[in-house]
Amino acid sequence: MGSADTTAVVWFRRDLRVRDQPTFLAAKERADRALALFVLDPTLLEPAGPRRTAFLFRCLRALDEDLGGKLLVVKGDPEDVVPRIAQAVGADSVHVAADFGPYGRQRDEAVEKALGSTGDGVELVRSGSPYLTEPGTITKSDGDPYKVFTPFSREWTKRIQDAEPADTDAKTLTWMDPSDKDGGPRAVKVPDDPKVDAELPEAGEQAAHEQWEAFVDEHLTDYDDTRDRPDKPGTSRMSVHLKYGTVHPRTLLAGARGNGKGATSYRNELCFRDFYGHVLWWFPRSARENFDPKFEKIELDTGKAAEQKFRQWQEGRTGFPAIDAAMRQLQGEAWMHNRMRMAVASFLVKDLHLPWWWGAKHFMELLVDGDLASNQHGWQWAAGTGTDAAPYFRVFNPVTQGERFDPQGDYVRRWVPELADVEGKKVHQPWKLPDPPSGYPEPMVDHKAERVEALNRFNAL
DNA sequence: CATTTCTTGAG
DNA sequence: TCAAGAAAT
């Protein structure tokens, strides 16, 4: 085992981003012994169903294969595992490259303290975050956090000018051999995937890069136009790879440079991801509670009838074809087009008057790309309780959203087999057909009436 | 629609 | 610090 002058590097992460982190490479240069990877159970911090667990395991297996079967996976809390890794490697000092994520100052400090107090030559090397800008580092001139996207994005745009592309050429890492251990933490074999009832995307760094290059080649130029079309494959599908760190946003930024409309629009989406990471860092409570506390008093539906409505929404039986198509896409594909995420969220909150966190939890459980910062704040935006300062109430019309963004009705027919024989955009209002298809439900609410109801509840605050 | 956030510039 | 005016993705 190790000698007294041995140094090891431990990569402390919740996900797998390894090769494109400059701080990781810098730390690696200081090590003469071994590198280990351990993965925290992501469900510690974020609700996740079997879909994300299965995807994580697939990411691990892809990485293990890439590294010639020398991946060490250790599960557990950093406070507990880090000292034992030092022991296992036989190192007299360990550099822990820790990524702190968007979970807030308190959690950052707790992790820092726990790792620092392990002593015995454990040194914390603060790594880059999974964002283009470190959560918490963009503030107004008086040091207060931004609560509105646009001024944040102006600051952000200045900040990313000189961001380096990700370094992906780091395949020569030395990995700790799982058999090379002595009373330390036991390497865990990646367990079998839990049973999954959806088709998941290909996992791993290679899959991420192939998908990204195909998107840049085929869709980036027109991204501005096609990103809102759920019937077309015009989005990058990078969310799941960003979530698991098999690609870093720096790589995406490097591919989306220039003044083209598509690239500019794509960078705006990357900015939104950073923005919500910052918002969660500054306001960790906003993952569970209304960002704006005045909404604590808004009237919400509860009880048996509300739960029944919620189930109809979950199962895609609302009677609004675009909404139902989207909810069934979520069930079938573990993913939903972003345009439709906004539409179904608006429907749950404004048409059904249900708590946004019911829908947010459902998303976190079924989305393979479910991410606490983006998901919860996206829902708060839709609910009007979040960082959007506009006072007038945005209520999406579930029919016109469908007609506008799925103009030929292809998306609806793909996911709602009961309507497969209805041609063209008529599919968005099957109740108007002379002979409505049997088996497809009537609209569960009168949108006009519920819109007024939502506005009344809002104005009562 | 009508209200909150942010920037600017004066005190 | 405060008030006015612009903007809100």
Side-chain angles (χ1 to χ4, degrees):
Chain A
M1 281 305 294
S3 59
D5 56 353
T6 298
T7 299
V9 172
V10 173
W11 189 243
F12 154 50
R13 281 209 51 85
R14 278 170 216 94
D15 54 42
L16 304 172
R17 187 177 325 98
V18 174
R19 296 195 195 139
D20 54 4
Q21 284 282 17
T23 45
F24 178 72
L25 300 175
K28 185 218 160 220
E29 274 171 26
R30 300 157 65 182
D32 58 10
R33 177 66 173 82
L35 300 166
L37 170 78
F38 80 93
V39 179
L40 273 179
D41 185 350
T43 60
L44 283 177
L45 287 159
E46 306 189 356
R51 296 165 171 206
R52 291 230 306 283
T53 305
F55 191 83
L56 172 65
F57 291 168
R58 292 179 196 183
C59 287
L60 286 170
R61 269 188 231 105
L63 183 59
D64 187 42
E65 194 173 325
D66 249 356
L67 298 168
K70 293 202 169 183
L71 173 66
L72 176 74
V73 180
V74 182
K75 251 177 125 177
D77 287 325
E79 301 91 314
D80 178 41
V81 170
V82 168
R84 294 194 292 131
I85 281 187
Q87 190 191 3
V89 179
D92 64 342
S93 77
V94 178
H95 300 285
V96 181
D99 150 38
F100 287 84
Y103 300 100
R105 185 199 301 271
Q106 253 193 322
R107 183 171 165 88
D108 282 7
E109 285 170 358
V111 170
E112 206 150 355
K113 194 165 162 243
L115 295 179
S117 67
T118 54
D120 295 335
V122 175
E123 181 197 342
L124 193 67
V125 181
R126 189 170 184 121
S127 87
S129 75
Y131 294 93
L132 289 163
T133 54
E134 291 276 323
T137 61
I138 292 186
T139 62
K140 296 187 286 182
S141 46
D142 61 4
D144 285 346
Y146 284 101
K147 297 176 175 179
V148 168
F149 173 73
T150 308
F152 173 90
S153 78
R154 274 193 277 272
E155 244 351 269
W156 183 88
T157 304
K158 284 184 222 156
R159 194 79 80 78
I160 60 158
Q161 295 306 329
D162 49 355
E164 303 267 334
D167 182 354
T168 53
D169 182 28
K171 299 212 172 185
T172 55
L173 301 178
T174 309
W175 289 85
M176 185 167 134
D177 189 328
S179 62
D180 185 13
K181 59 186 190 289
D182 191 28
R186 205 169 305 146
V188 178
K189 191 173 168 292
V190 179
D192 290 338
D193 290 359
K195 273 266 182 288
V196 168
D197 57 352
E199 185 117 0
L200 300 182
E202 191 77 25
E205 293 184 30
Q206 198 187 331
H209 279 90
E210 281 169 12
Q211 171 65 30
W212 174 243
E213 274 158 33
F215 167 73
V216 171
D217 280 356
E218 293 161 32
H219 300 297
L220 180 60
T221 318
D222 301 320
Y223 182 71
D224 194 35
D225 296 323
T226 51
R227 70 195 186 89
D228 275 331
R229 290 289 295 273
D231 56 332
K232 293 182 175 179
T235 62
S236 72
R237 298 273 190 157
M238 282 296 110
S239 52
V240 68
H241 302 298
L242 286 167
K243 172 65 197 173
Y244 284 95
T246 42
V247 74
H248 192 278
R250 274 192 307 275
T251 303
L252 311 188
L253 179 64
R257 290 288 189 190
N259 293 321
K261 271 187 151 186
T264 305
S265 179
Y266 195 84
R267 288 200 300 276
N268 201 52
E269 300 304 311
L270 290 176
C271 182
F272 251 109
R273 181 172 173 277
D274 272 31
F275 177 55
Y276 285 148
H278 278 255
V279 173
L280 183 61
W281 193 89
W282 284 105
F283 308 100
R285 290 153 53 89
S286 69
R288 310 198 121 264
E289 298 166 22
N290 292 319
F291 178 81
D292 183 340
K294 91 174 182 202
F295 286 94
E296 278 166 34
K297 292 204 188 81
I298 202 164
E299 188 191 345
L300 297 167
D301 284 7
T302 53
K304 282 272 184 292
E307 283 162 25
Q308 174 59 28
K309 283 183 181 177
F310 181 57
R311 266 193 300 279
Q312 273 179 265
W313 176 84
Q314 285 178 306
E315 291 164 9
R317 293 186 292 107
T318 68
F320 291 92
I323 303 296
D324 293 341
M327 296 308 295
R328 296 183 198 189
Q329 179 178 38
L330 173 61
Q331 287 287 350
E333 212 177 299
W335 183 84
M336 191 194 293
H337 191 282
N338 185 56
R339 186 85 237 162
M340 302 316 293
R341 296 188 195 197
M342 294 191 265
V344 303
S346 176
F347 188 81
L348 179 115
V349 172
K350 308 289 169 62
D351 286 84
L352 304 183
H353 319 295
L354 301 176
W356 63 261
W357 51 92
W358 289 15
K361 183 157 182 271
H362 181 67
F363 269 32
M364 287 302 285
E365 282 163 358
L366 293 191
L367 282 169
V368 71
D369 64 14
D371 175 83
L372 198 68
S374 297
N375 187 63
Q376 307 306 88
H377 296 117
W379 270 92
Q380 295 231 34
W381 180 86
T385 60
T387 43
D388 180 8
Y392 41 88
F393 230 42
R394 184 192 290 274
V395 180
F396 284 165
N397 182 315
V399 175
T400 37
Q401 285 289 306
E403 288 172 341
R404 175 128 59 107
F405 299 115
D406 179 29
Q408 281 90 48
D410 295 336
Y411 179 68
V412 166
R413 280 185 295 275
R414 191 179 312 147
W415 289 104
V416 186
E418 303 98 292
L419 301 174
D421 295 332
V422 184
E423 281 173 16
K425 70 175 218 179
K426 283 184 298 187
V427 78
H428 288 293
Q429 299 185 74
W431 56 89
K432 284 192 176 169
L433 294 168
D435 186 18
S438 62
Y440 187 72
E442 296 270 298
M444 66 185 288
V445 293
D446 174 1
H447 172 67
K448 258 192 189 156
E450 301 307 339
R451 178 180 171 279
V452 171
E453 173 67 14
L455 288 166
N456 287 340
R457 293 189 188 196
F458 177 75
N459 287 327
L461 290 178

PDB file of all heavy atoms in Angstrom, chain A residues 41-62:
ATOM      1  N   ASP A  41     -25.355   9.750  -3.106  1.00  0.00           N
ATOM      2  CA  ASP A  41     -26.706   9.450  -3.557  1.00  0.00           C
ATOM      3  C   ASP A  41     -27.442  10.764  -3.845  1.00  0.00           C
ATOM      4  O   ASP A  41     -27.650  11.563  -2.938  1.00  0.00           O
ATOM      5  CB  ASP A  41     -27.422   8.682  -2.452  1.00  0.00           C
ATOM      6  CG  ASP A  41     -28.793   8.229  -2.904  1.00  0.00           C
ATOM      7  OD1 ASP A  41     -29.236   8.667  -3.973  1.00  0.00           O
ATOM      8  OD2 ASP A  41     -29.401   7.435  -2.184  1.00  0.00           O
ATOM      9  N   PRO A  42     -27.787  10.996  -5.101  1.00  0.00           N
ATOM     10  CA  PRO A  42     -28.412  12.292  -5.406  1.00  0.00           C
ATOM     11  C   PRO A  42     -29.773  12.461  -4.753  1.00  0.00           C
ATOM     12  O   PRO A  42     -30.272  13.566  -4.625  1.00  0.00           O
ATOM     13  CB  PRO A  42     -28.542  12.272  -6.931  1.00  0.00           C
ATOM     14  CG  PRO A  42     -28.460  10.848  -7.312  1.00  0.00           C
ATOM     15  CD  PRO A  42     -27.690  10.132  -6.248  1.00  0.00           C
ATOM     16  N   THR A  43     -30.380  11.369  -4.328  1.00  0.00           N
ATOM     17  CA  THR A  43     -31.690  11.505  -3.685  1.00  0.00           C
ATOM     18  C   THR A  43     -31.570  12.131  -2.298  1.00  0.00           C
ATOM     19  O   THR A  43     -32.561  12.481  -1.693  1.00  0.00           O
ATOM     20  CB  THR A  43     -32.375  10.140  -3.553  1.00  0.00           C
ATOM     21  OG1 THR A  43     -31.548   9.303  -2.750  1.00  0.00           O
ATOM     22  CG2 THR A  43     -32.603   9.510  -4.897  1.00  0.00           C
ATOM     23  N   LEU A  44     -30.326  12.254  -1.795  1.00  0.00           N
ATOM     24  CA  LEU A  44     -30.159  12.928  -0.520  1.00  0.00           C
ATOM     25  C   LEU A  44     -30.727  14.334  -0.553  1.00  0.00           C
ATOM     26  O   LEU A  44     -31.252  14.827   0.417  1.00  0.00           O
ATOM     27  CB  LEU A  44     -28.669  13.005  -0.163  1.00  0.00           C
ATOM     28  CG  LEU A  44     -28.019  11.726   0.359  1.00  0.00           C
ATOM     29  CD1 LEU A  44     -26.550  11.959   0.600  1.00  0.00           C
ATOM     30  CD2 LEU A  44     -28.702  11.271   1.648  1.00  0.00           C
ATOM     31  N   LEU A  45     -30.573  14.967  -1.695  1.00  0.00           N
ATOM     32  CA  LEU A  45     -30.970  16.364  -1.792  1.00  0.00           C
ATOM     33  C   LEU A  45     -32.162  16.602  -2.697  1.00  0.00           C
ATOM     34  O   LEU A  45     -32.854  17.586  -2.572  1.00  0.00           O
ATOM     35  CB  LEU A  45     -29.797  17.190  -2.321  1.00  0.00           C
ATOM     36  CG  LEU A  45     -28.688  17.375  -1.308  1.00  0.00           C
ATOM     37  CD1 LEU A  45     -27.394  17.710  -1.982  1.00  0.00           C
ATOM     38  CD2 LEU A  45     -29.084  18.447  -0.312  1.00  0.00           C
ATOM     39  N   GLU A  46     -32.396  15.714  -3.612  1.00  0.00           N
ATOM     40  CA  GLU A  46     -33.457  15.955  -4.565  1.00  0.00           C
ATOM     41  C   GLU A  46     -34.319  14.714  -4.681  1.00  0.00           C
ATOM     42  O   GLU A  46     -33.804  13.614  -4.771  1.00  0.00           O
ATOM     43  CB  GLU A  46     -32.857  16.275  -5.949  1.00  0.00           C
ATOM     44  CG  GLU A  46     -31.863  17.415  -5.879  1.00  0.00           C
ATOM     45  CD  GLU A  46     -31.420  17.882  -7.258  1.00  0.00           C
ATOM     46  OE1 GLU A  46     -31.824  17.276  -8.245  1.00  0.00           O
ATOM     47  OE2 GLU A  46     -30.683  18.866  -7.304  1.00  0.00           O
ATOM     48  N   PRO A  47     -35.631  14.883  -4.672  1.00  0.00           N
ATOM     49  CA  PRO A  47     -36.481  13.718  -4.864  1.00  0.00           C
ATOM     50  C   PRO A  47     -36.243  13.097  -6.237  1.00  0.00           C
ATOM     51  O   PRO A  47     -36.111  13.816  -7.220  1.00  0.00           O
ATOM     52  CB  PRO A  47     -37.904  14.295  -4.765  1.00  0.00           C
ATOM     53  CG  PRO A  47     -37.757  15.757  -4.980  1.00  0.00           C
ATOM     54  CD  PRO A  47     -36.376  16.129  -4.551  1.00  0.00           C
ATOM     55  N   ALA A  48     -36.100  11.790  -6.287  1.00  0.00           N
ATOM     56  CA  ALA A  48     -35.857  11.126  -7.562  1.00  0.00           C
ATOM     57  C   ALA A  48     -36.500   9.750  -7.562  1.00  0.00           C
ATOM     58  O   ALA A  48     -36.482   9.061  -6.555  1.00  0.00           O
ATOM     59  CB  ALA A  48     -34.367  10.993  -7.822  1.00  0.00           C
ATOM     60  N   GLY A  49     -37.058   9.373  -8.674  1.00  0.00           N
ATOM     61  CA  GLY A  49     -37.621   8.047  -8.820  1.00  0.00           C
ATOM     62  C   GLY A  49     -36.613   7.104  -9.446  1.00  0.00           C
ATOM     63  O   GLY A  49     -35.449   7.454  -9.638  1.00  0.00           O
ATOM     64  N   PRO A  50     -37.046   5.881  -9.788  1.00  0.00           N
ATOM     65  CA  PRO A  50     -36.147   4.887 -10.372  1.00  0.00           C
ATOM     66  C   PRO A  50     -35.543   5.321 -11.705  1.00  0.00           C
ATOM     67  O   PRO A  50     -34.472   4.846 -12.078  1.00  0.00           O
ATOM     68  CB  PRO A  50     -37.052   3.665 -10.549  1.00  0.00           C
ATOM     69  CG  PRO A  50     -38.441   4.153 -10.411  1.00  0.00           C
ATOM     70  CD  PRO A  50     -38.391   5.369  -9.547  1.00  0.00           C
ATOM     71  N   ARG A  51     -36.191   6.238 -12.408  1.00  0.00           N
ATOM     72  CA  ARG A  51     -35.675   6.646 -13.708  1.00  0.00           C
ATOM     73  C   ARG A  51     -34.325   7.335 -13.578  1.00  0.00           C
ATOM     74  O   ARG A  51     -33.373   7.022 -14.293  1.00  0.00           O
ATOM     75  CB  ARG A  51     -36.676   7.582 -14.396  1.00  0.00           C
ATOM     76  CG  ARG A  51     -37.990   6.902 -14.701  1.00  0.00           C
ATOM     77  CD  ARG A  51     -39.073   7.867 -15.043  1.00  0.00           C
ATOM     78  NE  ARG A  51     -40.254   7.141 -15.522  1.00  0.00           N
ATOM     79  CZ  ARG A  51     -41.159   7.653 -16.336  1.00  0.00           C
ATOM     80  NH1 ARG A  51     -41.045   8.897 -16.753  1.00  0.00           N
ATOM     81  NH2 ARG A  51     -42.178   6.940 -16.718  1.00  0.00           N
ATOM     82  N   ARG A  52     -34.223   8.272 -12.664  1.00  0.00           N
ATOM     83  CA  ARG A  52     -32.946   8.977 -12.508  1.00  0.00           C
ATOM     84  C   ARG A  52     -31.902   8.070 -11.884  1.00  0.00           C
ATOM     85  O   ARG A  52     -30.720   8.153 -12.196  1.00  0.00           O
ATOM     86  CB  ARG A  52     -33.144  10.258 -11.695  1.00  0.00           C
ATOM     87  CG  ARG A  52     -33.937  11.314 -12.418  1.00  0.00           C
ATOM     88  CD  ARG A  52     -33.265  12.677 -12.393  1.00  0.00           C
ATOM     89  NE  ARG A  52     -32.938  13.141 -11.073  1.00  0.00           N
ATOM     90  CZ  ARG A  52     -33.820  13.651 -10.223  1.00  0.00           C
ATOM     91  NH1 ARG A  52     -35.077  13.776 -10.585  1.00  0.00           N
ATOM     92  NH2 ARG A  52     -33.447  14.055  -9.040  1.00  0.00           N
ATOM     93  N   THR A  53     -32.348   7.201 -10.974  1.00  0.00           N
ATOM     94  CA  THR A  53     -31.403   6.250 -10.388  1.00  0.00           C
ATOM     95  C   THR A  53     -30.818   5.349 -11.465  1.00  0.00           C
ATOM     96  O   THR A  53     -29.607   5.142 -11.535  1.00  0.00           O
ATOM     97  CB  THR A  53     -32.113   5.409  -9.310  1.00  0.00           C
ATOM     98  OG1 THR A  53     -32.711   6.296  -8.366  1.00  0.00           O
ATOM     99  CG2 THR A  53     -31.135   4.495  -8.601  1.00  0.00           C
ATOM    100  N   ALA A  54     -31.681   4.820 -12.327  1.00  0.00           N
ATOM    101  CA  ALA A  54     -31.216   3.953 -13.417  1.00  0.00           C
ATOM    102  C   ALA A  54     -30.262   4.713 -14.331  1.00  0.00           C
ATOM    103  O   ALA A  54     -29.224   4.184 -14.747  1.00  0.00           O
ATOM    104  CB  ALA A  54     -32.405   3.423 -14.210  1.00  0.00           C
ATOM    105  N   PHE A  55     -30.610   5.962 -14.630  1.00  0.00           N
ATOM    106  CA  PHE A  55     -29.755   6.738 -15.526  1.00  0.00           C
ATOM    107  C   PHE A  55     -28.394   6.985 -14.892  1.00  0.00           C
ATOM    108  O   PHE A  55     -27.367   6.895 -15.567  1.00  0.00           O
ATOM    109  CB  PHE A  55     -30.431   8.068 -15.890  1.00  0.00           C
ATOM    110  CG  PHE A  55     -29.727   8.782 -17.009  1.00  0.00           C
ATOM    111  CD1 PHE A  55     -29.986   8.449 -18.332  1.00  0.00           C
ATOM    112  CD2 PHE A  55     -28.784   9.763 -16.744  1.00  0.00           C
ATOM    113  CE1 PHE A  55     -29.320   9.090 -19.367  1.00  0.00           C
ATOM    114  CE2 PHE A  55     -28.114  10.403 -17.776  1.00  0.00           C
ATOM    115  CZ  PHE A  55     -28.388  10.070 -19.085  1.00  0.00           C
ATOM    116  N   LEU A  56     -28.381   7.263 -13.607  1.00  0.00           N
ATOM    117  CA  LEU A  56     -27.108   7.454 -12.903  1.00  0.00           C
ATOM    118  C   LEU A  56     -26.242   6.197 -12.995  1.00  0.00           C
ATOM    119  O   LEU A  56     -25.044   6.275 -13.296  1.00  0.00           O
ATOM    120  CB  LEU A  56     -27.382   7.800 -11.439  1.00  0.00           C
ATOM    121  CG  LEU A  56     -26.156   7.833 -10.511  1.00  0.00           C
ATOM    122  CD1 LEU A  56     -25.196   8.947 -10.919  1.00  0.00           C
ATOM    123  CD2 LEU A  56     -26.569   7.999  -9.056  1.00  0.00           C
ATOM    124  N   PHE A  57     -26.865   5.034 -12.781  1.00  0.00           N
ATOM    125  CA  PHE A  57     -26.097   3.787 -12.866  1.00  0.00           C
ATOM    126  C   PHE A  57     -25.525   3.599 -14.271  1.00  0.00           C
ATOM    127  O   PHE A  57     -24.398   3.131 -14.440  1.00  0.00           O
ATOM    128  CB  PHE A  57     -26.984   2.590 -12.490  1.00  0.00           C
ATOM    129  CG  PHE A  57     -27.374   2.550 -11.029  1.00  0.00           C
ATOM    130  CD1 PHE A  57     -28.364   1.689 -10.583  1.00  0.00           C
ATOM    131  CD2 PHE A  57     -26.741   3.372 -10.107  1.00  0.00           C
ATOM    132  CE1 PHE A  57     -28.723   1.643  -9.236  1.00  0.00           C
ATOM    133  CE2 PHE A  57     -27.097   3.342  -8.754  1.00  0.00           C
ATOM    134  CZ  PHE A  57     -28.089   2.473  -8.331  1.00  0.00           C
ATOM    135  N   ARG A  58     -26.316   3.957 -15.269  1.00  0.00           N
ATOM    136  CA  ARG A  58     -25.831   3.815 -16.649  1.00  0.00           C
ATOM    137  C   ARG A  58     -24.657   4.771 -16.904  1.00  0.00           C
ATOM    138  O   ARG A  58     -23.706   4.414 -17.618  1.00  0.00           O
ATOM    139  CB  ARG A  58     -26.960   4.074 -17.639  1.00  0.00           C
ATOM    140  CG  ARG A  58     -28.013   2.964 -17.575  1.00  0.00           C
ATOM    141  CD  ARG A  58     -29.155   3.218 -18.524  1.00  0.00           C
ATOM    142  NE  ARG A  58     -30.296   2.368 -18.171  1.00  0.00           N
ATOM    143  CZ  ARG A  58     -31.428   2.322 -18.852  1.00  0.00           C
ATOM    144  NH1 ARG A  58     -31.588   3.079 -19.928  1.00  0.00           N
ATOM    145  NH2 ARG A  58     -32.410   1.534 -18.462  1.00  0.00           N
ATOM    146  N   CYS A  59     -24.732   5.969 -16.345  1.00  0.00           N
ATOM    147  CA  CYS A  59     -23.607   6.901 -16.467  1.00  0.00           C
ATOM    148  C   CYS A  59     -22.354   6.299 -15.832  1.00  0.00           C
ATOM    149  O   CYS A  59     -21.253   6.374 -16.387  1.00  0.00           O
ATOM    150  CB  CYS A  59     -23.930   8.230 -15.780  1.00  0.00           C
ATOM    151  SG  CYS A  59     -25.109   9.262 -16.641  1.00  0.00           S
ATOM    152  N   LEU A  60     -22.534   5.706 -14.657  1.00  0.00           N
ATOM    153  CA  LEU A  60     -21.387   5.110 -13.956  1.00  0.00           C
ATOM    154  C   LEU A  60     -20.781   3.983 -14.773  1.00  0.00           C
ATOM    155  O   LEU A  60     -19.564   3.863 -14.887  1.00  0.00           O
ATOM    156  CB  LEU A  60     -21.835   4.581 -12.584  1.00  0.00           C
ATOM    157  CG  LEU A  60     -22.102   5.628 -11.511  1.00  0.00           C
ATOM    158  CD1 LEU A  60     -22.760   4.975 -10.306  1.00  0.00           C
ATOM    159  CD2 LEU A  60     -20.814   6.316 -11.102  1.00  0.00           C
ATOM    160  N   ARG A  61     -21.631   3.157 -15.356  1.00  0.00           N
ATOM    161  CA  ARG A  61     -21.120   2.029 -16.130  1.00  0.00           C
ATOM    162  C   ARG A  61     -20.371   2.511 -17.376  1.00  0.00           C
ATOM    163  O   ARG A  61     -19.330   1.963 -17.736  1.00  0.00           O
ATOM    164  CB  ARG A  61     -22.255   1.084 -16.519  1.00  0.00           C
ATOM    165  CG  ARG A  61     -22.441   0.000 -15.480  1.00  0.00           C
ATOM    166  CD  ARG A  61     -23.426  -1.053 -15.964  1.00  0.00           C
ATOM    167  NE  ARG A  61     -24.410  -1.237 -14.908  1.00  0.00           N
ATOM    168  CZ  ARG A  61     -25.634  -0.779 -14.933  1.00  0.00           C
ATOM    169  NH1 ARG A  61     -26.077  -0.145 -15.996  1.00  0.00           N
ATOM    170  NH2 ARG A  61     -26.426  -0.969 -13.926  1.00  0.00           N
ATOM    171  N   ALA A  62     -20.920   3.566 -18.007  1.00  0.00           N
ATOM    172  CA  ALA A  62     -20.248   4.120 -19.184  1.00  0.00           C
ATOM    173  C   ALA A  62     -18.870   4.657 -18.806  1.00  0.00           C
ATOM    174  O   ALA A  62     -17.886   4.454 -19.527  1.00  0.00           O
ATOM    175  CB  ALA A  62     -21.102   5.228 -19.799  1.00  0.00           C
TER     176      ALA A  62
END
